[in-house]
Amino acid sequence: MHPAFAVGLVFAGCCSNVIFLELLARYYAVMVTMFFTVSVVNNYALNLNIAMPLHMIFRSGSLIASMILGIIILKKRYSVFKYTSIALVSVGIFICTFMSAKQVTSQPSMSENDGFQAFAWWLLGIGALTFALLMSARMGIFQETLYKQFGKHSKEALFYNHALPLPGFLFLASDIYEHAVLFSKSELYQVPVIGVTVPIMWFYLLMNVITQYVCIRGVFILTTECTSLTVTLVVTLRKFVSLIFSILYFQNPFTLWHWLGTLFVFTGTLMYTEVWNHLGATKSPPPKEDKEN
């Protein structure tokens, strides 16, 4: 066989392969980038004096970000009732954020300089959560556009969103290695049933990965099989249960003001989904859908 023919096969085959690969993954590359960014920023915010309850409540404000970007990008228009529900969510998040800020700056064991430094890191954490919230809402709009154009394929989206970002963690290799060393130094724990003894932090990480897969798998199935109302209700209830568990089991500080803010957030979320109207749909017709230009 002439070498020129082999060279032609290499260029024709490999170049066309790359072209088709790019056509296959072009849209997912954008969504994967956003997914990776949101995941890393949300997790890193926990290192910036953000308590877990505030982290969960703040992320419950996704409706606010979705509405803002929906108005800007999709030119949507909403009813006064929905604007009111979003205002209620905003007030709830503000109350919880304000009270958490007071907790950060009023710790008796801190000097004035340490208190100011802790508050500055906390503000950076709030900024990171805000950025991740807006980016997550933008990703949701982009994902909705993809589903309309190519159909809903939950397993495919689950694979691409989690497999393609893996090389990005090379940029975090030093931080990952540092925590791996700390994990290996944690106390030993005998895993039930199988009887294997491992550092307890590695066991926690393994369980976190397994349960995260179950959670994400369920969410992706919900987005393809159920209405957006059902997805919102399920996710909202899940966040509320997680919040209660975090407060009671881990004894995270939570004042009466925090409870009031939480009530506003979840009430506003349920108002936005118009759940009461849908529950009574058999008695009266549902309200009109949001108008779009």
Side-chain angles (χ1 to χ4, degrees):
M1 183 179 295
H2 198 277
F5 180 72
V7 172
L9 288 179
V10 170
F11 276 89
C14 295
C15 290
S16 59
N17 174 266
V18 172
I19 291 172
F20 284 112
L21 177 62
E22 184 176 352
L23 290 173
L24 177 67
R26 177 180 296 164
Y27 294 101
Y28 272 114
V30 177
M31 191 163 67
V32 163
T33 301
M34 290 189 287
F35 181 81
F36 175 79
T37 304
V38 169
S39 299
V40 172
V41 173
N42 270 327
N43 288 330
Y44 193 77
L46 294 172
N47 289 335
L48 301 174
N49 288 337
I50 300 296
M52 184 59 76
L54 178 61
H55 193 276
M56 286 186 281
I57 293 172
F58 208 93
R59 291 180 65 185
S60 298
S62 57
L63 287 177
I64 303 174
S66 297
M67 174 176 278
I68 293 174
L69 294 185
I71 293 173
I72 297 174
I73 298 174
L74 301 179
K75 308 301 181 183
K76 285 187 175 181
R77 293 296 179 266
Y78 299 87
S79 64
V80 175
F81 184 80
K82 289 201 172 184
Y83 284 122
T84 304
S85 65
I86 290 300
L88 197 60
V89 173
S90 303
V91 171
I93 292 178
F94 174 78
I95 292 174
C96 292
T97 304
F98 181 75
M99 297 309 299
S100 296
K102 291 183 64 176
Q103 289 178 345
V104 170
T105 56
S106 62
Q107 296 184 18
S109 59
M110 284 187 178
S111 63
E112 183 177 349
N113 185 47
D114 291 338
F116 176 79
Q117 187 176 7
F119 181 70
W121 282 112
W122 180 86
L123 281 180
L124 186 60
I126 293 297
L129 286 178
T130 303
F131 170 79
L133 201 65
L134 292 172
M135 179 68 77
S136 179
R138 182 65 184 90
M139 182 178 68
I141 293 175
F142 185 75
Q143 190 173 20
E144 181 180 343
T145 303
L146 286 185
Y147 283 165
K148 288 181 179 178
Q149 186 173 355
F150 301 106
K152 297 181 178 181
H153 307 283
S154 62
K155 292 183 179 180
E156 178 183 305
L158 181 64
F159 172 77
Y160 278 119
N161 278 342
H162 290 80
L164 295 184
L166 290 178
F169 287 99
L170 291 174
F171 296 103
L172 305 173
S174 59
D175 189 56
I176 294 174
Y177 175 77
E178 179 183 347
H179 282 81
V181 173
L182 293 175
F183 278 24
S184 299
K185 293 180 180 179
S186 62
E187 62 178 298
L188 296 178
Y189 175 75
Q190 187 174 22
V191 181
V193 182
I194 61 176
V196 177
T197 301
V198 296
I200 193 168
M201 295 303 293
W202 284 112
F203 174 74
Y204 289 160
L205 178 62
L206 175 64
M207 296 305 298
N208 179 264
V209 170
I210 294 174
T211 53
Q212 179 73 2
Y213 170 77
V214 174
C215 174
I216 295 298
R217 182 82 173 92
V219 171
F220 271 83
I221 293 174
L222 275 178
T223 57
T224 56
E225 301 296 334
C226 303
T227 63
S228 59
L229 171 65
T230 303
V231 175
T232 303
L233 287 177
V234 171
V235 172
T236 300
L237 290 175
R238 194 281 303 169
K239 289 179 180 178
F240 185 74
V241 172
S242 298
L243 177 65
I244 299 300
F245 185 83
S246 175
I247 296 168
L248 297 180
Y249 184 81
F250 292 103
Q251 299 297 309
N252 284 309
F254 214 73
T255 65
L256 183 61
W257 284 104
H258 285 96
W259 282 114
L260 180 62
T262 302
L263 178 64
F264 281 6
V265 169
F266 287 105
T267 301
T269 302
L270 294 178
M271 286 175 59
Y272 183 89
T273 60
E274 299 179 345
V275 61
W276 293 281
N277 291 333
H278 285 271
L279 290 177
T282 55
K283 297 181 180 179
S284 59
K288 294 182 179 179
E289 296 293 333
D290 298 335
K291 297 181 180 178
E292 298 183 22
N293 290 339

